[in-house]
Amino acid sequence: MTNKEEFLLKAYELGIIKFGNFTLKSGIESPFYVDLRPLVSSPALLKELSDHLLQLLKDSHYQLICGVPYAALPISAAMSLESGVPLILKRKESKKYGTKKMLEGIFSEGQTCVLVEDVITSGKSLVETVEEVEKEGLRVKDVAVVLDREQGGTRLLTEKGYAVHTLFSMGEVIDILYKHDLLKEPEVIRIRSFLKEKPVVRIRSSRVTYEEKLKFQAHPASKKILEIALKKKSNLIASLDVNTSREILDLAERVGEHVVAVKLHTDIISDFSEEYVSRLKKISQDKNFLLFEDRKFGDIGNTQQLQFEKGIYKISDWADLITSHVIAGEESLKVFGDKVGVVTIAEMSSKGALTDEHYKEKAIELSQKASNVIGCVAQSELPSSLLLFTPGVNITSGGDSKGQQFNTPDKVITEYHTDFIIVGRGIYAAARPEEAAEKYRKEGWDAYLRNIKF
Ligand code: 5BU
């Protein structure tokens, strides 16, 4: 048995690879799951791994080692200790205050740096990391990877001119485990066919199409909104923030055909009535759009339930979608039931909002667990299993005098992979709201098409 094989068997015992059915961040169902983090619990194995990786790099020249956060950080630190080559750390996000540094540690422009990654799948995030490191003035030629899931990543990096040194490919792992009776034949066949069928071929763009997203939606509301999007070729939600029912009904008639949903703040309407609700519902059926109440619930479960079902507005009677904060925790979201599609607030568009990276991460984690949550409101990319709704969209980027910050449809769709743009004043305050809605629909849809073309 080779050293490499021995290492794999010991690491396998630690639980770095699991077989079964797993939903990956991208929403894809995978028959295996790889997580190298348990290695930190075995200093001996971590050291062995770093020796193997250094051996792979024996003919490469580099002055710095940089690990991709988080799983590869301990691995790269071990490599640095073993080789005496200094380490630099890459942040996940640049510091918002103080130095705004992307890289921590001492380095100078023009130095050569090797990047270390635990697992490579499509390679897209690795390419982004390499580019960020290069932006800081460092030169990257080599990338060391512990495991290649064989889903296009190595090819992508090689095409871009980087030398990828991988310790194991997934195929090799399967062979070794099978040889040692740790995997049975049917499992091997299942994994092999997954590897063959599911290479992430869309290596030039990782944007998931609406058709693909539709396939893995479990909630009727998320299915519906995606179906409408495809039918109308629209990713536009109009936010009708006006104060009378007459104005809302008039706007809904005018913009209805261009949008997937109309977003409302029902508590700003001065003359709310049941008749208004039934007329709005009728328009939404005729023009095929959803009713999205932007209530931003933010209380304990019991109160939220009362606010959702009772009072004058009886939101639960008519809303297809609602927004809710996650501040009160997981249980507080359950009270909305499974009929309405819940969109959680992970990140707000206004200047100085307290929804920082940490908050966003927690909000996403919680949203992924809740069966009635279909997506989040955010100003940056989400795991593609959640639909991304982005407000603060206006063709004239800038903002207002009350903290709102605007981005263009193209920016949010291209950079954040936004699924649905939310436009308020850009539409309802326009001289001809129906023309403005058609313009935003077209801008949004064209930006989406540009991003899925490859
Ligand atoms: P605007 O006129 O395009 O700025 O309207 C934006 C709408 O989206 C408005 O109803 C806000 O309440 C809503 N919104 C937002 O602007 N930013 C956020 O982070 C969230 C909601 Br959450």
Side-chain angles (χ1 to χ4, degrees), residues 99-251:
T99 55
K100 295 201 172 164
K101 276 197 283 190
M102 237 9 245
L103 296 176
E104 300 290 348
I106 301 166
F107 59 89
S108 47
E109 231 184 282
Q111 279 190 303
T112 314
C113 177
V114 62
L115 249 83
V116 183
E117 176 66 300
D118 59 341
V119 179
I120 183 168
T121 307
S122 73
K124 194 181 160 259
S125 65
L126 194 52
V127 166
E128 276 169 20
T129 309
V130 171
E131 284 170 356
E132 280 174 62
V133 170
E134 286 174 336
K135 252 193 234 151
E136 301 292 316
L138 294 177
R139 287 188 299 144
V140 179
K141 286 195 212 135
D142 298 278
V143 181
V145 178
V146 182
L147 189 119
D148 181 357
R149 287 185 58 118
E150 297 177 64
Q151 289 173 289
T154 302
R155 205 173 97 206
L156 176 64
L157 273 121
T158 311
E159 275 174 10
K160 288 192 175 275
Y162 302 103
V164 185
H165 311 267
T166 37
L167 188 55
F168 296 104
S169 67
M170 198 57 208
E172 240 181 303
V173 169
I174 305 301
D175 286 346
I176 298 172
L177 296 179
Y178 179 60
K179 186 170 131 194
H180 292 273
D181 228 11
L182 293 163
L183 267 183
K184 299 280 167 258
E185 202 172 328
E187 198 69 350
V188 172
I189 294 170
R190 196 163 83 92
I191 297 163
R192 288 227 174 278
S193 73
F194 169 84
L195 289 174
K196 244 207 280 171
E197 279 167 23
K198 289 247 169 81
V200 180
V201 246
R202 299 183 317 103
I203 51 174
R204 269 191 249 154
S205 157
S206 77
R207 169 141 202 151
V208 180
T209 64
Y210 294 121
E211 282 93 343
E212 281 170 301
K213 289 210 167 187
L214 189 54
K215 280 189 216 149
F216 57 81
Q217 298 305 319
H219 198 285
S222 54
K223 277 196 188 128
K224 191 81 204 277
I225 197 167
L226 286 166
E227 279 162 6
I228 300 176
L230 288 165
K231 185 146 189 241
K232 288 186 168 174
K233 298 193 187 330
S234 170
N235 45 30
L236 175 64
I237 295 175
S239 187
L240 305 184
D241 303 337
V242 289
N243 309 112
T244 63
S245 53
R246 187 186 51 77
E247 285 170 286
I248 294 184
L249 295 171
D250 177 51
L251 281 165

Side-chain angles (χ1 to χ4, degrees), residues 238-241 263-265 268 294 296 323 325 344-350 353 355 377-379 389-394 400 404-406 422-429 440:
S239 187
L240 305 184
D241 303 337
K263 189 174 81 61
L264 305 151
H265 287 290
I268 64 173
D294 191 4
K296 298 191 187 69
T323 52
H325 286 292
T344 55
I345 314 292
E347 195 178 15
M348 294 195 69
S349 62
S350 47
T355 49
V377 176
Q379 300 291 324
F389 297 78
T390 302
V393 172
N394 200 294
D400 65 11
Q404 177 68 300
Q405 304 177 110
F406 287 128
I422 298 177
V423 181
R425 283 162 284 187
I427 293 176
Y428 73 78
Y440 277 98

